[in-house]
Amino acid sequence: MGAQMENWHFPARYDQSYLPDPDSPYWFPHRETMDPQERDAAVLVRLREVMEYAYSTSTFYRTKWDAAGVKPADITSFEAFEQVPVVTKAEMRESQANHPPFGDYLCCDSSEIHHIHGTSGTTGAPTAFAIGRRDWEVIADNHARILWGMGVRPGDTVFVAALFSLYLGSWGALAGAERLHCRVLPFGAGAQGMTARAVTWLARTKPKAFYATPSYALRLAEVAESEGIDPREFGLQVMFFSGEPGASVPAVRKAIEDAFGATVIDCGTMAEMTPFMSASATAGTPDGMLLWQDIVWHEVCDPDSFRTVPYGSEGTPVYTHLERTSQPMIRLASNDLTRWVLEDNPCGRTYPKLPDGVYGRIDDMIHIRGENVYPTEVDNYLRGVSGYGGEHQIVVRRTGSMDEMIVRAETTHPAGQRDAFERDTGSGLQSLLGVRVTFESVDANTLERAEHKSRRVVDEREHTKR
Ligand code: 8LQ
């Protein structure tokens, strides 16, 4: 069974010169279209191998699993695998504080490390990611394969418009596009005046594919339009996004499609999980995200028990590397929210799918007066309102003993003519969310635009507690 799966080895080995038949929609036809139960059976054997590797090479996993009474050799069923305790970000931070800089879950020799990346550290101590040289090649292969699935082909120009620094998104997209023998334009993002220059370069090079965060694509469209350039003139065909919800938020997706005239593809798990594109839509199944289960094992779990929920249900993604030998993540808890299904995909791949993408983080969900509000719901709603100026902010504060939610949105309506907009949008939001909303409008182009991931929620209740 495993033997038929193309290049199915641990540690992974891929022929660096391989390219599929140009007419094939699949990079690895068998792996991508095989009976999912057969694939899962091969993955189960692999999970044991990865766990044996991690147990024998890292104190972190040995200590954690010994304490939980888990032995890699006992993982003979998915039920057994679901008993493996999840890894949390807090544990990784602690491991790195005690064993700097990479933690005691670094499973390869430090001479093997090829790239160091990390979290930005804006919300706490940064975490360092160490990626081995061989792992980097394998990541590039995986991403090339997924890009092929999106319809990107050798010789296509791929424009990468995300930060080239600690952030793994841009580097991972670059590695995949290079392995696919594309022409890559590693443009970057984030420097002064860079968005206007991106407009010039896009108009000049007319790339086929484009990678960024969804909020940055909307920002770019605004800048192009302010310079009198229709973003459709860039001729982009495939725009793939990761880093935050957006590409699967219907109104955001439509805004990007309308602005650029391109197919929007959602992808991305977590930086720790690089190859992070293992959850990704395809040209033939452009909506939602497919879970490429032979690259990373994706589970959608109950957030308390961390047992998988049935297909059709909501839960939190838990991820396991099947090919990483440096810092392999085995049951990494994401704290995100999603829903998964297993149904026939138009592209013919037999992977499960997240039909609505990843729609929020458990800790970003606003709990207010007994209701749960997803910031993406507000975004989706506002984008459908005529006269919306393109950006907004959600402020949650405590006044006396009551929590109050203020939504401040930009509008293109001139001052003095906003009453109907404010009244209708405020009451529309209120009935959608089921909580009282104080709605305010401000001039268009006055709220800050994200050059990277957007941060629209200001929860002032956190500050009052301190
Ligand atoms: N996150 C990332 N991708 C997302 C998506 N497509 N939809 C919804 N939320 C998404 C390097 C890649 O871009 C992955 C990445 O952004 O890694 P980070 O910086 O570690 O952030 C991971 C978090 O971004 C996830 O847990 C999601 O909340 C969000």
Side-chain angles (χ1 to χ4, degrees):
M1 156 227 322
Q4 293 168 14
M5 292 172 74
E6 300 95 336
N7 297 280
W8 183 248
H9 310 281
F10 183 78
R13 277 200 309 275
Y14 291 108
D15 170 1
Q16 292 300 301
S17 61
Y18 169 78
L19 285 173
D21 178 334
D23 297 328
S24 169
Y26 311 114
W27 181 273
F28 284 152
H30 183 64
R31 277 207 203 185
E32 292 171 38
T33 61
M34 69 192 287
D35 175 347
Q37 287 188 352
E38 268 180 44
R39 186 195 295 118
D40 291 358
V43 168
L44 182 61
V45 176
R46 172 64 61 83
L47 289 171
R48 215 158 46 230
E49 276 177 297
V50 176
M51 285 183 66
E52 265 153 12
Y53 169 78
Y55 189 88
S56 64
T57 51
S58 91
T59 319
F60 176 86
Y61 283 115
R62 202 161 44 242
T63 314
K64 187 174 171 68
W65 295 341
D66 281 351
V70 165
K71 291 191 188 61
D74 293 345
I75 307 303
T76 52
S77 67
F78 286 106
E79 288 71 32
F81 184 65
E82 289 177 26
Q83 309 284 344
V84 176
V86 295
V87 174
T88 64
K89 288 205 173 215
E91 276 176 295
M92 286 191 279
R93 273 198 292 271
E94 190 188 321
S95 164
Q96 295 203 341
N98 295 333
H99 306 276
F102 303 119
D104 57 350
Y105 54 95
L106 179 69
C107 293
C108 67
D109 193 84
S110 64
S111 64
E112 166 62 13
I113 296 172
H114 175 63
H115 263 231
I116 300 171
H117 290 267
T119 59
S120 60
T122 46
T123 53
T127 308
F129 310 134
I131 305 181
R133 196 161 284 109
R134 249 182 57 180
D135 281 3
W136 194 259
E137 275 182 19
V138 171
I139 288 162
D141 234 83
N142 294 150
H143 282 185
R145 179 178 160 201
I146 295 160
L147 285 166
W148 182 280
M150 294 180 195
V152 182
R153 292 292 177 269
D156 289 345
T157 302
V158 180
F159 194 99
V160 181
L163 304 176
F164 274 97
S165 175
L166 287 173
Y167 183 58
L168 260 164
S170 20
W171 292 97
L174 172 69
E178 286 181 340
R179 168 63 185 88
L180 187 49
H181 301 178
C182 294
R183 300 189 293 201
V184 199
L185 211 168
F187 190 81
Q192 185 82 30
M194 208 165 178
T195 309
R197 274 181 284 144
V199 170
T200 309
W201 279 89
L202 283 162
R204 184 185 290 185
T205 55
K206 302 236 183 297
K208 172 169 170 185
F210 173 92
Y211 168 78
T213 57
S215 42
Y216 188 62
L218 292 171
R219 165 93 188 116
L220 180 69
E222 282 181 345
V223 171
E225 279 152 14
S226 73
E227 308 217 333
I229 295 171
D230 179 352
R232 288 178 173 251
E233 286 173 27
F234 303 151
L236 294 170
Q237 293 175 42
V238 182
M239 299 180 79
F240 59 110
F241 297 104
S242 73
E244 59 180 359
S248 292
V249 173
V252 176
R253 182 183 182 86
K254 183 166 185 314
I256 299 173
E257 282 168 351
D258 289 351
F260 292 91
T263 301
V264 170
I265 299 271
D266 194 4
C267 71
T269 56
M270 295 166 77
E272 289 84 347
M273 288 313 303
T274 303
F276 63 85
M277 284 163 68
S278 64
S280 175
T282 67
T285 311
D287 56 313
M289 294 199 260
L290 297 187
L291 304 175
W292 297 59
Q293 293 289 47
D294 51 316
I295 295 179
V296 163
W297 181 244
H298 311 71
E299 301 168 272
V300 175
C301 293
D302 177 288
D304 297 317
S305 68
F306 291 108
R307 309 293 304 259
T308 54
V309 297
Y311 288 121
S313 312
E314 179 179 274
T316 188
V318 172
Y319 303 116
T320 300
H321 276 128
L322 297 179
E323 301 194 327
R324 279 282 293 274
T325 55
S326 49
Q327 293 183 328
M329 289 288 114
I330 296 161
R331 300 208 87 212
L332 175 63
S334 65
N335 264 321
D336 288 317
L337 284 166
T338 190
R339 187 171 69 85
W340 68 345
V341 296
L342 181 62
E343 51 191 39
D344 288 345
N345 296 307
C347 68
R349 289 178 182 80
T350 49
Y351 296 125
K353 175 168 142 172
L354 309 180
D356 313 308
V358 169
Y359 41 77
R361 296 189 54 75
I362 295 176
D363 43 13
D364 270 1
M365 203 159 61
I366 304 167
H367 302 280
I368 184 160
R369 298 185 190 170
E371 295 291 332
N372 290 334
V373 172
Y374 297 110
T376 47
E377 288 180 290
V378 177
D379 194 14
N380 192 44
Y381 178 79
L382 290 174
R383 287 194 188 280
V385 172
S386 111
Y388 173 56
E391 198 45 82
H392 68 277
Q393 218 178 37
I394 303 171
V395 181
V396 187
R397 64 166 67 120
R398 180 156 298 160
T399 323
S401 61
M402 289 293 267
D403 287 342
E404 183 187 20
M405 182 166 158
I406 300 146
V407 175
R408 194 169 288 142
E410 292 181 348
T411 180
T412 52
H413 292 298
Q417 296 174 36
R418 293 179 180 171
D419 289 355
F421 172 80
E422 288 184 354
R423 190 190 54 235
D424 296 349
T425 314
S427 68
L429 270 175
Q430 203 153 294
S431 52
L432 173 78
L433 305 176
V435 291
R436 203 172 75 225
V437 173
T438 304
F439 183 77
E440 297 170 1
S441 64
V442 296
D443 290 343
N445 287 313
T446 52
L447 296 177
E448 198 189 337
R449 263 62 178 161
E451 298 275 316
H452 187 44
K453 303 189 187 196
S454 64
R455 286 175 183 273
R456 297 194 172 106
V457 182
V458 184
D459 196 335
E460 295 179 350
R461 295 176 299 183
E462 306 295 316
H463 306 295
T464 33
K465 272 185 228 142
R466 263 182 223 145

